[in-house]
Amino acid sequence: MVTERIAVFGRANADLTVRVPHRASQGRTAFGSPLVVTPGGKAFNQACAVARLGGRATLVANAGDDEWGRMLARTLTEFGVDSKDFRLRPGVPTGAAIIEVTPDGESYVTFARSPSTDPTPSDAARVRADVVVAQLDVAAEAVQAIPRPRLLIGNLIPSEGVDLAALDLYVVNEHEAAAVLGTPHADAAAAVDGLLDLGIPAVVVTAGSRGASYGQRSGTGAVPAPQVKSVDSSGAGDAFLAALALDLSRGRPLPDAVAAAVLVGSRAVQQRGSLLRN
């Protein structure tokens, strides 16, 4: 089975993770575990997961030429990701995600952005692959500068000016879908219908422990997730998307690819950290 190269375009950062018995409330401190610093970022996680699942992955992203940035570069080598388009920028800091993980395995993330490492149109022009996964929360002009691949998959809430209808496939969780649709809440199946109405050719909406829903011109469907004990959900969506992109690159139909991706996502929540390691 031929696997095309998958390029992932977006952000790479350090994850600063603390496990807490509960989240802090106003005026009160929550005491947590020792801080753990690991490599992360949506695009970074997805590229590493593609490689871990046996695919050929390229990461197009930037980080600072500092301790955290060099940690990211070493990890790409460890996972076998093509890092020729991963750039360390001198004199700027690497971004960081501050992650709180509660006992039920849910993760709460605050992103400390480093604007100087944000992807640019010139970064996008380096993307060379038949299958591209693009994080849409970057500047619209950067997304628009990606050379048109055979399959363009978008992820996350888009920045202003991004044309979702230009995608081949849009993948979001149900909370992101609700934000895009301007509703207080949208379950996955309803969100699929709403997003398809925006002119997007194909849509997948994930719903955590409830699995995922999908839709395309030929119809819609849903895949339940197996019941597992969640340890850390911080990288599950990235593992799901990596598995989905990899199967689609191999010519697998969308319903089958979603079913396989749900299993990978369920596997990911059973391990700590945002990187798929087994």
Side-chain angles (χ1 to χ4, degrees):
M1 183 178 294
V2 176
T3 300
E4 294 177 339
R5 182 172 294 278
I6 297 173
V8 187
F9 176 76
R11 302 183 195 276
N13 54 257
D15 283 351
L16 312 183
T17 304
V18 59
R19 306 186 74 84
V20 295
H22 56 81
R23 301 195 74 200
S25 57
Q26 185 175 4
R28 298 194 62 182
T29 299
F31 290 87
S33 68
L35 183 71
V36 176
V37 181
T38 54
K42 299 292 291 184
F44 185 93
N45 295 342
Q46 292 162 14
C48 288
V50 167
R52 183 62 79 203
L53 292 167
R56 300 189 302 151
T58 297
L59 177 65
V60 183
N62 304 308
D65 189 4
D66 54 16
E67 182 179 350
W68 288 348
R70 291 186 287 275
M71 171 186 68
L72 293 167
R74 289 194 302 272
T75 305
L76 291 176
T77 299
E78 173 193 336
F79 275 75
V81 176
D82 184 343
S83 60
K84 70 179 185 301
D85 290 315
F86 174 65
R87 305 290 171 84
L88 296 181
R89 300 197 180 281
V92 301
T94 298
I98 296 89
I99 305 173
E100 295 175 285
V101 181
T102 49
D104 59 358
E106 287 299 316
S107 57
Y108 301 85
V109 182
T110 300
F111 183 54
R113 181 178 164 222
S114 175
S116 298
T117 63
D118 282 353
T120 66
S122 62
D123 295 324
R126 302 199 307 270
V127 176
R128 291 289 185 274
D130 285 335
V131 178
V132 175
V133 179
Q135 314 308 309
L136 304 182
D137 62 340
V138 304
E141 55 267 27
V143 176
Q144 293 160 358
I146 297 172
R148 183 68 194 185
R150 178 183 66 80
L151 176 63
L152 177 59
I153 303 172
N155 184 220
L156 301 177
I157 299 172
S159 61
E160 185 176 357
V162 172
D163 180 12
L164 293 178
L167 301 171
D168 298 301
L169 173 64
Y170 186 40
V171 183
V172 284
N173 64 42
E174 57 187 345
H175 307 293
E176 293 164 338
V180 172
L181 294 170
T183 60
H185 176 74
D187 66 41
V192 165
D193 291 334
L195 292 170
L196 289 174
D197 286 343
L198 298 180
I200 307 169
V203 172
V204 175
V205 178
T206 60
S209 62
R210 300 190 307 283
S213 293
Y214 62 88
Q216 53 190 342
R217 292 188 181 95
S218 59
T220 61
V223 178
Q227 297 303 303
V228 299
K229 179 174 175 52
S230 177
V231 173
D232 187 345
S233 66
S234 56
D238 297 327
F240 174 97
L241 183 48
L244 182 69
L246 185 56
D247 271 353
L248 292 175
S249 78
R250 293 168 170 167
R252 200 168 188 183
L254 181 62
D256 295 343
V258 172
V262 165
L263 295 179
V264 172
S266 297
R267 197 168 90 209
V269 301
Q270 298 178 70
Q271 60 186 45
R272 293 191 177 192
S274 61
L275 291 180
L276 184 68
R277 293 189 176 274
N278 53 56

